[in-house]
Amino acid sequence: MSYELYYWPGIQGRGEFVRLALEEAGAPYVDIAQRADAEDRILAFMRRKDEPHPPFAPPFLKDGARVIGQTATILAYLGARHGLAPQDPDQNFWVQQIQLTVADLVGEAHDAHHPLGAELYYEEQKPQARLRARYFREERITKYLGWLEKILARNPDGPAHLVGAALTYVDLSLFQIVEGLTYAFPERMKSVAIQTPNVMALRDNVAARPHIRAYLASGRRLPFSEQGIFRHYRELDD
Amino acid sequence: MSYELYYWPGIQGRGEFVRLALEEAGAPYVDIAQRADAEDRILAFMRRKDEPHPPFAPPFLKDGARVIGQTATILAYLGARHGLAPQDPDQNFWVQQIQLTVADLVGEAHDAHHPLGAELYYEEQKPQARLRARYFREERITKYLGWLEKILARNPDGPAHLVGAALTYVDLSLFQIVEGLTYAFPERMKSVAIQTPNVMALRDNVAARPHIRAYLASGRRLPFSEQGIFRHYRELDD
């Protein structure tokens, strides 16, 4: 039976971290975002009164009767089922910890253009976004990617993966944040990339994996845009 | 051997979610925040070049040679060891999903008074905080606590706990967010409390548990303050 991925149509967003895991795993899935009535289906599901595990927000994954929300929880669930998470419990906690830190970065990347909240347009908060984006660009990106670089350099199994000697879902998430930050902050990322060679090499290796390469070349991979989490506004870059 | 909890001194912050789990479990722990040189010890640890699992930020927990960061990961780790997490894998994912949603609420509670970022004082972003706090107060608190209320009402084992028939770490986290929101937004919470009776009853039940009651009455429980995540500024409440 196929998984069903529920996420808003038209953007990569947080759903993309789940898509990358499903694609790498070669797992059959129905992407509800591709349906013409995607929003109606999401809202109808969230209004169901008989669901014992109601998700707070998309993305959420249906696996038969199971419903799982929160990106990091979905990834932990898929990782365990498809060989994208370590068997060892300590390593598994370590993958989860890195994934949650990636999630923090994703939240900050969104807030860089929406500091006053998601209910106002970017155009209504441009001066504030400029201030917050400067801090994000100059302090936070370096701190987060520098931390990932350190983890790769200290991995006892070598810098090819964040955890252990094989691919885990958090390697895929690293790929996605590098792609997103490079789209949103191309000027800034030129200098950051020089300081984080292991991060950039892992990004390249993920992009070259057969399933991921095929996915990226397909129509299933949506482009980045100014409706998503990672947005390119020239005035927010260097 | 005792756990060591590393967190900034003087505030409850995210460390408090870990403290509540440790206290409920009756687990021996050293609270580094209580040491006079707490900040130095935290920074010294974070600068160590030989730690294979370097935490990104406090809180982090040391258990012998193990180092675990990210609040939700620490709670999953402690929960498994101290009977504060379900044995059943599906239920365990469900607890984790709820905890991550609680973490999202905590992030938004912080941003309500610091929309432009943590590197500026509240006094430097008061008008923006007013705007963001209004949205948080009027839309988000209700949405989050309403969701928790729904989960309690739908729990097949009854509304005494969020998941299953026994206490899990996310019940303790529910207690903490109700306490924090009631401190920060006392006016707003008066009406929210009426709409979320199961949430409020669980808050009361957690507060009445012997270990938690003893902890709350002890000097180990720091008061809320305007240095923490949940801050009371009258102009941000109704």
Side-chain angles (χ1 to χ4, degrees):
Chain A
M1 195 160 60
S2 281
Y3 296 111
E4 287 180 10
L5 172 60
Y6 285 74
Y7 193 65
W8 305 119
I11 59 166
Q12 293 185 8
R14 288 182 172 79
E16 194 65 15
F17 295 91
V18 181
R19 285 193 194 100
L20 287 167
L22 290 164
E23 293 282 346
E24 172 60 28
Y29 72 103
V30 175
D31 193 342
I32 299 296
Q34 303 282 350
R35 301 292 174 88
D37 59 348
E39 293 197 25
D40 290 344
R41 291 172 69 129
I42 293 169
L43 294 173
F45 190 90
M46 293 183 69
R47 283 195 206 102
R48 282 176 62 163
K49 299 205 184 301
D50 57 346
E51 172 51 50
H53 295 181
F56 183 77
F60 53 91
L61 186 79
K62 278 192 68 184
D63 180 12
R66 282 193 189 93
V67 180
I68 303 155
Q70 282 285 354
T71 308
T73 306
I74 302 170
L75 292 174
Y77 179 82
L78 290 174
R81 268 158 192 73
H82 296 282
L84 292 173
Q87 301 277 334
D88 175 71
D90 282 336
Q91 294 287 76
N92 207 26
F93 281 121
W94 179 223
V95 169
Q96 184 190 121
Q97 180 183 335
I98 303 171
Q99 182 65 44
L100 291 180
T101 307
V102 165
D104 287 342
L105 164 60
V106 170
E108 292 187 34
H110 173 270
D111 291 351
H113 53 75
H114 269 74
L116 298 189
E119 85 286 11
L120 295 176
Y121 290 108
Y122 168 65
E123 287 68 23
E124 297 175 277
Q125 46 191 304
K126 282 176 81 163
Q128 293 83 9
R130 237 177 150 118
L131 197 60
R132 178 121 182 199
R134 188 177 64 196
Y135 175 63
F136 178 69
R137 193 176 68 222
E138 293 178 11
E139 305 286 336
R140 304 299 286 173
I141 292 179
T142 322
K143 185 169 180 191
Y144 278 108
L145 294 195
W147 180 71
L148 293 170
E149 180 72 17
K150 185 161 71 177
I151 290 171
L152 287 166
R154 290 188 193 174
N155 183 350
D157 293 305
H161 297 289
L162 283 163
V163 179
L167 185 89
T168 66
Y169 62 80
V170 78
D171 290 332
L172 303 172
S173 296
L174 175 146
F175 164 81
Q176 178 63 10
I177 56 170
V178 171
E179 291 298 278
L181 291 171
T182 304
Y183 172 79
F185 302 97
E187 284 305 313
R188 178 63 181 145
M189 285 296 285
K190 280 181 198 166
S191 58
V192 171
I194 295 167
Q195 297 156 33
T196 54
N198 286 310
V199 169
M200 297 302 145
L202 176 51
R203 177 255 161 240
D204 291 347
N205 286 337
V206 168
R209 295 180 72 89
H211 287 185
I212 298 297
R213 195 172 54 201
Y215 169 61
L216 296 176
S218 77
R220 302 191 299 285
R221 171 77 167 185
L222 297 167
F224 287 105
S225 76
E226 280 56 71
Q227 271 75 52
I229 292 170
F230 295 104
R231 302 189 185 187
H232 179 57
Y233 296 117
R234 213 170 141 186
E235 63 273 22
L236 301 187
D237 197 5
D238 275 328
Chain B
M1 194 161 57
S2 281
Y3 295 110
E4 287 181 8
L5 172 60
Y6 285 73
Y7 194 65
W8 304 119
I11 58 167
Q12 293 184 8
R14 288 181 171 81
E16 195 65 14
F17 295 91
V18 181
R19 283 192 196 101
L20 287 167
L22 290 165
E23 293 282 346
E24 171 61 28
Y29 72 103
V30 175
D31 193 342
I32 299 295
Q34 302 282 350
R35 301 293 175 87
D37 59 348
E39 293 198 24
D40 290 344
R41 290 172 69 130
I42 293 168
L43 294 172
F45 190 91
M46 293 183 69
R47 284 195 206 102
R48 281 176 62 163
K49 298 202 184 306
D50 57 346
E51 172 50 52
H53 296 180
F56 183 76
F60 53 92
L61 186 78
K62 276 193 70 183
D63 180 12
R66 282 193 189 93
V67 180
I68 303 155
Q70 282 285 354
T71 308
T73 307
I74 301 170
L75 291 174
Y77 179 83
L78 291 174
R81 267 156 193 73
H82 296 282
L84 291 173
Q87 301 277 334
D88 175 72
D90 282 337
Q91 294 287 76
N92 206 28
F93 281 122
W94 179 224
V95 170
Q96 183 190 122
Q97 180 182 336
I98 303 170
Q99 182 65 44
L100 290 181
T101 308
V102 166
D104 287 343
L105 164 60
V106 170
E108 291 187 34
H110 173 271
D111 291 350
H113 52 75
H114 269 74
L116 299 189
E119 85 287 11
L120 295 176
Y121 289 109
Y122 169 65
E123 287 68 24
E124 297 175 278
Q125 47 191 304
K126 282 175 82 163
Q128 294 83 10
R130 236 175 151 119
L131 197 62
R132 178 120 183 200
R134 188 177 65 196
Y135 176 62
F136 179 68
R137 193 177 66 224
E138 293 178 11
E139 305 286 337
R140 302 300 285 173
I141 291 179
T142 322
K143 184 167 180 192
Y144 278 108
L145 294 196
W147 180 71
L148 294 170
E149 181 72 16
K150 184 161 72 176
I151 290 171
L152 287 166
R154 291 188 192 173
N155 184 351
D157 293 303
H161 297 288
L162 284 163
V163 179
L167 185 89
T168 65
Y169 62 81
V170 77
D171 290 333
L172 303 172
S173 296
L174 175 146
F175 164 81
Q176 178 63 10
I177 58 171
V178 172
E179 291 299 278
L181 291 171
T182 304
Y183 171 80
F185 302 97
E187 283 305 314
R188 177 63 181 145
M189 285 297 285
K190 280 180 197 165
S191 57
V192 172
I194 295 167
Q195 299 157 32
T196 54
N198 286 310
V199 169
M200 296 302 144
L202 177 50
R203 178 255 162 238
D204 292 347
N205 286 338
V206 168
R209 294 180 73 88
H211 287 186
I212 299 296
R213 197 173 53 201
Y215 169 61
L216 297 175
S218 76
R220 302 191 298 286
R221 171 77 166 184
L222 297 168
F224 286 105
S225 76
E226 281 55 73
Q227 271 75 53
I229 291 170
F230 295 104
R231 302 189 186 186
H232 178 58
Y233 296 117
R234 213 170 141 186
E235 63 273 21
L236 301 187
D237 198 4
D238 274 329

